Amino acid sequence: MLSGLSHEFVEDFRKIYAARDIAKIGLYLHDNVEWTISGPVEYLRFCGTHRGKAAVIDLLKHRIPTVLRTFRFEPESVVVDGNHIAMLHRQSSRRTIDGRVANYRVANFMQFEGGKLIKNLSLLDTFDAVEQLLGQRIQIGNSSSESSEYADVVAV
Amino acid sequence: MGRSENLGNVTREWVEAFNEAYAGRHMDRLASLLHDEVHWVISGPVDLMPFCGERRGKPAVLDMVGRIAARQFVAVSFAPELVLIDGDRASTLCRATGERAMNGRTIGWRLAQFMRFRDGKIIEYCSVIDSFDAAEQVLGHAIELDAGESLGQRDAVAV
C-alpha cells in the first residue's frame, strides 16, 4: 500500500459519515470537492454531480433528507490504498414522507488530497432502491421478451 | 466486516488476472482464482439480469459466468479506473461494456467490485452497479414509473 491515509483516519471519517454528522463531515471536505451519486435523477432527485463544499453540505444536510433519512450504515468492506478509499456499506433508510424503509448496498469511492475529501463516487443498486422506496415492483414494459431468454434460470 | 490478520497477500497482478479471467470468461483461469467456498453477490434485478443475485460455492459462480451471464452478453470487457489493494482485500472501479446476445447492442456501466482473498483465492465477492441505468440499457428504453409516485419534493432541482 502506498503511504497515504491511515486506517485510523479512515475509520474516524467513516464513523462520522455513517452517523451523517454534517458539521464534522464538513471538516473533511475540500473546498473543491466533487460528489457524484450515480442514479436516476428523475426518481432519486439527489443523484447527479455536486461541486463545491457548500453544495455537498447542502446535499447531505437538505437534499438527501428531503427524500430519505439513513438510520443504519453498516460496513461490509473498507479498502484503503494511498489517498483512495473504497467502502461498501449496507444502508437502511426511511422515506421521509411516510417512513417506508429501504435497505440496499452502497459503494463509495473516495479520493483525498491534503487530508481533505476531493472526490466521491457513490454507486448503489438503484433499481432495488427505487422499488423499495416506491413500495412496489417496477413494471417492465417488455420484460416478457427478456425473461423468456431465461425461462430455465432460477433466480437466487 | 473486520480486517483480517492475513495482511499483505493480495497483489495487483491477482486482481488484474481476475478481471481478465472474469470478463473474458476464461473459465479454467477463473476457477483457479476462486476459493471452493466463495460467496458471490451481484446487486441488481435478478428478473431482468439473471446473473445478479447471491451464489455460494465455486460451481455456482462458474455456472453463472459461463452459462447464465453468457446468455445475456456474448462479450464483456472491464476497463479499470481504480484498483485498490489493502491486505487481503481489493476493490476496483471499472467501466464495463457488454454486447447483448439478443441484439448485438453494446451497453456500458460502472462496476464497483469488492473482493476478499484467502490463500490466494477469492472467498468473498460483491459488486454494485447503478442498476436502474443498467436495466434501462438492457431494455433499450427508459423505465417510466407512475407519475403519481414521488420519491422527493417535486420542486427539487435535478442536478
Side-chain angles (χ1 to χ4, degrees), chain B residues 14-136:
Chain B
W14 286 3
V15 177
E16 291 169 357
F18 165 71
N19 272 340
E20 287 181 17
Y22 180 26
R25 296 192 189 118
H26 305 306
M27 303 307 290
D28 290 344
R29 181 69 178 132
L30 179 61
S32 73
L33 295 168
L34 299 179
H35 194 284
D36 287 346
E37 297 170 11
V38 61
H39 180 216
W40 188 281
V41 177
I42 302 176
S43 292
V46 177
D47 290 348
L48 192 59
M49 296 187 282
F51 53 87
C52 294
E54 180 179 9
R55 289 168 175 85
R56 291 183 184 274
K58 187 190 288 193
V61 174
L62 293 175
D63 180 61
M64 180 278 294
V65 176
R67 186 177 67 90
I68 298 174
R71 294 179 70 174
Q72 192 156 31
F73 293 104
V74 293
V76 177
S77 63
F78 295 164
E81 296 180 4
L82 276 174
V83 178
L84 277 63
I85 309 286
D86 185 0
D88 64 346
R89 293 179 183 273
S91 179
T92 71
L93 175 64
C94 297
R95 285 271 181 195
T97 57
E99 181 184 339
R100 300 271 286 118
M102 195 181 205
N103 52 23
R105 196 171 64 237
T106 298
I107 73 169
W109 63 95
R110 262 181 159 167
L111 173 71
Q113 298 185 112
F114 292 84
M115 292 158 270
R116 187 168 70 82
F117 289 74
R118 181 188 294 169
D119 302 328
K121 298 173 187 291
I122 294 175
I123 184 79
E124 288 178 5
Y125 174 92
C126 181
S127 67
V128 179
I129 62 172
D130 175 358
S131 50
F132 196 95
D133 177 60
E136 287 189 326

Side-chain angles (χ1 to χ4, degrees), chain A residues 33-71:
Chain A
V33 60
E34 180 181 290
W35 190 289
T36 298
I37 305 173
S38 186
V41 177
E42 62 272 42
Y43 301 115
L44 299 173
R45 294 183 182 277
F46 50 78
C47 292
T49 297
H50 309 259
R51 292 185 175 86
K53 187 172 180 177
V56 171
I57 289 175
D58 180 59
L59 169 74
L60 299 174
K61 192 172 184 178
H62 300 295
R63 295 168 78 89
I64 293 175
T66 296
V67 180
L68 55 85
R69 295 176 186 274
T70 297
F71 63 92

Side-chain angles (χ1 to χ4, degrees), chain A residues 2-98:
Chain A
L2 300 173
S3 62
L5 304 172
S6 71
H7 286 94
E8 292 72 24
F9 174 91
V10 170
E11 186 57 13
D12 287 346
F13 168 75
R14 195 199 64 74
K15 287 179 178 174
I16 288 168
Y17 179 58
R20 302 298 191 267
D21 186 335
I22 309 301
K24 289 182 180 174
I25 292 172
L27 300 175
Y28 286 86
L29 298 180
H30 194 287
D31 287 343
N32 299 319
V33 60
E34 180 181 290
W35 190 289
T36 298
I37 305 173
S38 186
V41 177
E42 62 272 42
Y43 301 115
L44 299 173
R45 294 183 182 277
F46 50 78
C47 292
T49 297
H50 309 259
R51 292 185 175 86
K53 187 172 180 177
V56 171
I57 289 175
D58 180 59
L59 169 74
L60 299 174
K61 192 172 184 178
H62 300 295
R63 295 168 78 89
I64 293 175
T66 296
V67 180
L68 55 85
R69 295 176 186 274
T70 297
F71 63 92
R72 187 175 299 138
F73 202 66
E74 295 293 333
E76 293 191 341
S77 186
V78 178
V79 181
V80 184
D81 191 342
N83 289 315
H84 289 86
I85 311 170
M87 301 192 295
L88 178 66
H89 283 86
R90 175 75 77 166
Q91 178 168 333
S92 299
S93 303
R94 284 191 178 87
R95 190 163 83 155
T96 301
I97 58 171
D98 60 6

